[in-house]
Structure formats: C-alpha cells, structure tokens
Amino acid sequence: MSRNAQDQMLSQAIALQQRGRLDDAEQLYNAILARDAGNAPALHFLGLLFHQRGQHEQANLRMQQALTHRPNDPVFLDNFIHALITQGRLQDSLPLLQRLLDLNPHNAAAWHDLASVLKRLGGPEDAVDCWRRALAVDPGFQPASLGLGALLRDMSLREEAEAVYRAALERAAHDTELVCALADVLVESGRADAAVSILDGIPRQAAGRPEVHYSRGIAQITLGDFRNAEASFRSTITLDPDFYHAYVHLTSTAKIPVTDSIYAHLESIAHRPTAADDETQVNVHFSLGKMLQDAGEYDHAFEHFAAGNRACRRIRPYSHFHQAGQVSELKAQLDASFISRVRVKGNPTALPVFIVGMPRSGTTLTEQILARHRSVHAGGEMVLLHGMLRRQLGKQYRRSLAAGIASMHDDAIAGIAGGLEARLLELAGDAVRVTDKMPSNFMLLGWLHAMFPNARFVHCRRQPLDTCVSCFTTLFNRGHEFSNDLEDLGRYYLLYLDMMSHWRGLLPADRLLELDYESLVSDPEPEVRRLLEFLGLPWAAECMNFGVTSKTVQTASVVQVRQPLYASSVGRWHHYESHLEPLRRVLGGAA
C-alpha cells in the first residue's frame, strides 16, 4: 500500500471515529497497522478509540507505542495526557506534561493541566505556581484564572483570589463565569451586597444563564433574603435540571415537600449511581436527605446522608492518622514554655474575640448574639490568619504546621499579629470587640493567646452526639472531611476534646469562657449576661432578639440563625439513634 493510500485510509478512519462508528474505524486502523506496524498516527488514534470505549490498558499501550515512534509529537502527548488524567492516573501524566512543557514552555494550556494535576495530588503551592506561569504566558487564559482563583480561595487567600478574578475581567469584562466567581468570593469575604451588584451588571443576554441565578441565590441566602434565594435556585434548575449544587441550597433554604417533582427527579438520579459522577451523587443524596429529614422520615433520610458522605469521601480523602499526628505535634510544640516566651512580646490589643469549638456547636449563634451589641463587630469565619500563615510558612503549613509555628522568628509572629490587628481595626469602626468565629481555631488557641494576651476566647460546647449528627447531615464546602464517616467523626471529636483540655490547662481562667449550647437555648438570658460580662461589655437587651440580624452570615447555620431561638435541635440525635452505633462505639464515655 502506498503512503498516499495509507494517508487516505487514516483520514477515513479518523472521520468514522469522529462520527462514533468505532468498529468500522478500528478495522481501518488495524488494516493500516497490518501493513505498517510502526504507523504512529494509526497507533495513536486507535489508542484514543480504545479510550473512548473504556478499554484503558489497550488505549495506553497503543498511545505509548505511538510515542516511541514520535516522542515529541505535541498532539500525541496532549491526547495521552488527557486520557491518563481522565483515568485518574495522575502520577503517570506528570512526566508527559513535563516533556510537553520542555518542548514548549509557552504552552499555557499545558501549565494549566499540570496545575490541575498537582492540585489533585495534594500540592496546592506548586499548583499555584503553575497557574501563575500559565497566566504569565497568556494573561487572558480564562481556565487558568478560574482554577487559580478557586485554589486560592481554598487556601484562605481570598484577597489574592479576588485580584486574580478582577485582573481576568479587565480582559474579558462580560465573561459570565468570571463574574460569578468574583461574586462568590465577595460573598465569602462578607460583601454579599457587592456580589449582587456585579451580578446585576451582567448584560441582559447572559443574565439568564443558570450560573448567574445560582450565584445570586448564594448571595441572597447570605443576606437572609430566603424568598428570593429560593426563586433564584428554582430558576437555576429550571434552566439546567442537572445543576445539582442548586438543589442542595434550595433544600437548605426552604422546606421542599417530598411530593414536589424535585424529589422524584433526584430519586431517579440517586438510583442510577453509575450514571452520575461522585460530585453529583454528593449533591443529590444530601438534598434528598434534607427533604426527608424535614418530612420526619429519618431512617430514609439517614440512608441518603450516608450515601452522600460515602461519595464525598471518594472525592475528598481524609487521614485520621495525619490529623492525630498534627494534634500531637501542636500539643508538643505549643506548650507552656512556648506560650510564655511568645506572650512576653505579644500584641496588647483587646479587640479580638475568638469563638471556637466543633462545627455545628453554636458558634454562629454565639456570634450573632454578640453582633447585636453596638460595641461588637461580627467578623464571621475570618480566614485572614490562615492566609497569613500560608504566606509565611509555604509548604510547611501543610507538612507540619506545629513545627512551622514553633520555628517562626519573633519578627514574623509580630508581623502576623500586627497584620491581624490592622485588619480588625479596619472592620471595627466604633466597636471595641471584633469576633472571629472560625471553629477550627481551637487547634491554635495557645498560639493565638500568646500573640494576643488580652484577647478573649469563647468555647462553644454542645452535646457530643447532637454535634456529630449535625456535622454528618450537613454538606460543608470544604475543610470538614473528617465528618464524612461516623468513626472518623467520632475520632476527630475526641481529638478536639483532647486539644481543648490541653489549652484549658495553659490559658488564664479569665481569657477562656465555656458556653454550653443547651443552656443557651433553654435559659438564654443568664448565659448572654455571662458572655457580655466576660467580654467587659455592658448589658444590651437587643442581644436577646434572636433571629433578628442585619449581618451577613456565610456558614451552614445561615438559615437557623435567622430564626427565633428554638430548642428542637437539642436531642436531635435520637431521630437517628439506630444508625449511630459506629459513632457511639468510638466516642465511648464521651458520648
């Protein structure tokens, strides 16, 4: 067969493959290879054909054979890389990505792919560097801006994420995805009003896209505008019934009866697990769980919450061994001698009030009680501290946070404390106290006390089983991977108790207040008075106006905290009692 005839046959095979006639295309590729076993294009495209069928081993073999003949073909490399990534063989894709970039270091798409792989492999700092390289090559490469911004948000670097989105929008002012991403980070930063404003500025022809309605709904929830938020999420799923993130927020915003057509649609997806990816399954099962919980069908609800958590664990891995090691290191490094040494040079401001505890333990309620006092500014879950730590420690933040903090020079610690104080002063206005209700700050309580000896700490406690059940039945955005398995959840709760016991022995009694959720909801006034007295604030009757707040709220408790104080959440674990044996076994006497 002449070369010209081979080329014609190859073109015909590729055309058949593109039309989905895979068997016919395979016959032609095999005919070419029978006459020319080293025909690299035939090997490569036959490999892609096998990949389309899910025959991954055969696919990879053929594409690797093609590269032995043309090792530097950028198309072959790019296709093989994406096939490996799709298969989840991320490590195998790295040398090919490096080869592609060695051939052309100005390949923005390759830098983007490398960043995405490194992020999934647990190397966020390296991924950030690669995305910045992609944007240095092509400042208008939108996927890199979206990827970098999302990762910076995950890393508690919201200001940097906002800067990335704004820079991208200077080149593509009406890019709807970028506008929605900017709106989302504004909401996370406590500027939901600004988010609504920029969404309202989207041109009419794009304003009807589902992601615009979704982002507007997120902002409206944060502002407490639940009626319009429900309408926004319903518009989202009307335009795109497969926009499953919207269902989670819709069911958390309003009680959707199981007779609603939404329930039937979600059930049809839930019973076809092979037809939906894990991310979809997470959203579908948590939405169904919430609807059934509202209907009082607790056993069926738990089945969906459990399925949602299993799917969540597949995409958000968690290591209790790593978490326990981190706690052990923090206790060893941040001991009495460390605290005494750092406290001598601590920042004297009394502005900060750190509200800590397990998630779903009443931290949001406590902050919103304080937010009604004229002398308090509610800062929400402030990520500024962790962002500054990441900048200071780099990869050490992930590898050994305790060792990184313990090895910081006095100037670095003073710089972080000064930076935090400056931000608190910006927020405070006329307030004399600014709250930070990041629950997980309980891990760093001793270091925070050493940096700010005059700061106050409020530890929110709640009945262990109620706390854990509330975590298990809540879909968190990120950072709560321990909650996706009942045994891991119990183990994490024990680590939390251990950590708080450690700090309780090191902090002065007048710097730490223990506040029990059950006491707060059953007889609130004495607890509120005790809280205000602890913070050195005069009594303010408006702090008793539960459910009335003009503040934005960005946590999973956004709906509950805007309702009158209720005690129905006390003892809620009993609804799920028959399913909790793994959790109770781990908690033991702590339950």
Side-chain angles (χ1 to χ4, degrees):
M1 182 185 299
S2 67
R3 172 60 61 182
N4 186 53
Q6 280 191 23
D7 290 345
Q8 288 181 351
M9 188 180 292
L10 182 66
S11 297
Q12 184 182 358
I14 293 172
L16 289 168
Q17 184 174 354
Q18 290 173 339
R19 294 201 297 269
R21 294 174 56 184
L22 302 187
D23 292 343
D24 294 335
E26 182 182 2
Q27 287 184 359
L28 290 180
Y29 289 134
N30 286 331
I32 296 170
L33 292 169
R35 294 171 175 81
D36 179 9
N39 188 300
L43 287 166
H44 178 75
F45 287 106
L46 180 59
L48 283 179
L49 185 150
F50 285 132
H51 178 67
Q52 286 176 266
R53 286 179 175 161
Q55 298 171 275
H56 295 149
E57 293 304 320
Q58 294 186 59
N60 297 344
L61 174 62
R62 298 302 188 278
M63 284 191 274
Q64 186 61 60
Q65 288 173 338
L67 283 174
T68 62
H69 296 286
R70 291 191 191 176
N72 295 328
D73 188 304
V75 174
F76 290 5
L77 284 167
D78 191 59
N79 286 337
F80 195 9
I81 287 164
H82 285 99
L84 290 170
I85 292 173
T86 302
Q87 296 167 28
R89 300 180 64 165
L90 304 182
Q91 289 286 357
D92 293 338
S93 72
L94 289 177
L96 299 181
L97 279 163
Q98 189 59 61
R99 191 190 308 178
L100 193 59
L101 286 165
D102 287 342
L103 291 169
N104 179 14
H106 300 291
N107 186 334
W111 283 114
H112 168 69
D113 289 336
L114 180 57
S116 301
V117 169
L118 290 171
K119 176 187 175 182
R120 290 174 62 184
L121 288 172
E125 297 84 7
D126 294 329
V128 166
D129 292 341
C130 290
W131 265 315
R132 292 201 186 280
R133 290 288 296 271
L135 291 172
V137 170
D138 182 358
F141 190 58
Q142 184 244 37
S145 294
L146 290 172
L148 176 58
L151 180 54
L152 290 171
R153 288 160 63 185
D154 286 349
M155 297 172 68
S156 303
L157 299 171
R158 290 174 183 163
E159 291 181 1
E160 293 182 24
E162 181 180 343
V164 168
Y165 295 141
R166 290 194 183 277
L169 284 166
E170 288 179 4
R171 297 174 175 83
H174 300 306
D175 186 300
T176 307
E177 284 188 90
L178 287 169
V179 172
C180 289
L182 176 58
D184 293 344
V185 79
L186 289 173
V187 169
E188 291 173 1
S189 303
R191 291 174 285 165
D193 286 328
V196 172
S197 294
I198 68 165
L199 291 168
D200 288 344
I202 291 176
R204 181 174 298 178
Q205 62 270 26
R209 292 178 58 172
E211 62 266 30
V212 177
H213 288 282
Y214 175 76
S215 290
R216 181 176 282 108
I218 296 296
Q220 289 164 334
I221 281 183
T222 305
L223 293 168
D225 186 1
F226 299 130
R227 182 177 62 83
N228 283 320
E230 179 182 352
S232 293
F233 293 130
R234 286 190 178 275
S235 295
T236 303
I237 61 180
T238 297
L239 291 164
D240 181 3
D242 296 334
F243 202 123
Y244 292 104
H245 285 87
Y247 292 93
V248 172
H249 291 289
L250 174 61
T251 55
S252 69
T253 304
K255 290 188 176 182
I256 310 299
V258 295
T259 54
D260 193 295
S261 60
I262 286 174
Y263 180 82
H265 172 66
L266 293 175
E267 277 283 8
S268 71
I269 303 299
H271 291 131
R272 291 188 288 116
T274 58
D277 59 27
D278 286 329
E279 188 70 36
T280 296
Q281 289 293 314
V282 168
N283 289 294
V284 165
H285 283 295
F286 270 94
S287 299
L288 288 167
K290 177 59 165 61
M291 293 172 74
L292 289 161
Q293 179 175 269
D294 289 341
E297 298 183 29
Y298 296 108
D299 288 337
H300 195 183
F302 190 87
E303 291 175 10
H304 283 294
F305 285 132
N309 277 297
R310 286 194 297 271
C312 207
R313 174 56 59 89
R314 290 193 290 270
I315 55 180
R316 302 180 190 175
Y318 171 76
S319 168
H320 176 72
F321 176 80
H322 173 78
Q323 187 71 69
Q326 184 183 58
V327 166
S328 179
E329 289 179 8
L330 285 167
K331 288 171 57 183
Q333 297 279 2
L334 308 186
D335 57 7
S337 61
F338 172 86
I339 292 174
S340 297
R341 176 179 66 81
V342 174
R343 187 166 47 196
V344 172
K345 299 181 180 180
N347 189 300
T349 181
L351 267 177
V353 177
F354 295 98
I355 302 172
V356 302
M358 280 286 291
R360 313 295 291 165
S361 64
T363 56
T364 302
L365 173 62
T366 299
E367 183 181 57
Q368 290 304 308
I369 289 171
L370 291 173
R372 300 178 192 104
H373 198 290
R374 62 185 178 276
S375 296
V376 177
H377 175 86
E381 293 186 356
M382 296 178 64
V383 299
L384 182 62
L385 166 68
H386 294 275
M388 297 176 78
L389 272 173
R390 275 192 179 275
R391 293 188 194 97
Q392 178 66 37
L393 299 179
K395 295 179 182 179
Q396 185 81 344
Y397 179 90
R398 284 186 300 112
R399 293 174 178 172
S400 178
L401 178 60
I405 291 175
S407 64
M408 286 172 62
H409 297 299
D410 290 347
D411 289 346
I413 296 175
I416 289 176
L420 282 168
E421 181 191 20
R423 178 59 178 150
L424 296 179
L425 286 169
E426 288 177 15
L427 294 171
D430 295 331
V432 298
R433 298 283 186 269
V434 179
T435 59
D436 178 351
K437 64 145 248 90
M438 181 67 76
S440 60
N441 277 339
F442 75 79
M443 290 281 189
L444 300 175
L445 221 61
W447 182 59
L448 290 170
H449 167 65
M451 277 203 304
F452 299 108
N454 295 316
R456 300 297 193 274
F457 299 90
V458 179
H459 174 211
C460 296
R461 302 185 299 195
R462 185 182 180 188
Q463 202 278 341
L465 290 172
D466 272 339
T467 302
C468 292
V469 165
S470 189
C471 287
F472 191 74
T473 58
T474 298
L475 178 56
F476 297 103
N477 284 335
R478 51 189 174 267
H480 300 77
E481 289 76 16
F482 60 85
S483 68
N484 298 136
D485 176 88
L486 286 176
E487 291 186 352
D488 280 338
L489 181 53
R491 295 185 188 105
Y492 184 88
Y493 191 90
L494 294 179
L495 291 178
Y496 145 75
L497 291 180
D498 185 35
M499 205 62 173
M500 286 308 304
S501 176
H502 176 71
W503 300 132
R504 201 175 286 115
L506 296 177
L507 267 64
D510 63 349
R511 293 294 182 265
L512 176 64
L513 176 72
E514 314 269 9
L515 195 65
D516 290 326
Y517 178 81
E518 291 76 17
S519 298
L520 184 60
V521 298
S522 64
D523 190 11
E525 184 170 332
E527 296 303 304
V528 175
R529 286 185 179 278
R530 191 165 68 95
L531 175 61
L532 295 180
E533 182 180 352
F534 171 70
L535 298 180
L537 299 174
W539 170 251
E542 54 266 35
C543 290
M544 296 294 294
N545 294 331
F546 301 105
V548 180
T549 177
S550 61
K551 308 287 185 178
T552 61
V553 185
Q554 296 135 31
T555 74
S557 306
V558 59
V559 177
Q560 296 97 317
V561 81
R562 293 184 183 275
Q563 299 173 350
L565 198 63
Y566 62 100
S568 60
S569 58
V570 175
R572 190 166 71 93
W573 69 270
H574 288 289
H575 295 310
Y576 299 105
E577 187 168 2
S578 63
H579 304 280
L580 301 181
E581 178 55 31
L583 173 64
R584 300 186 73 167
R585 185 172 59 249
V586 172
L587 288 176

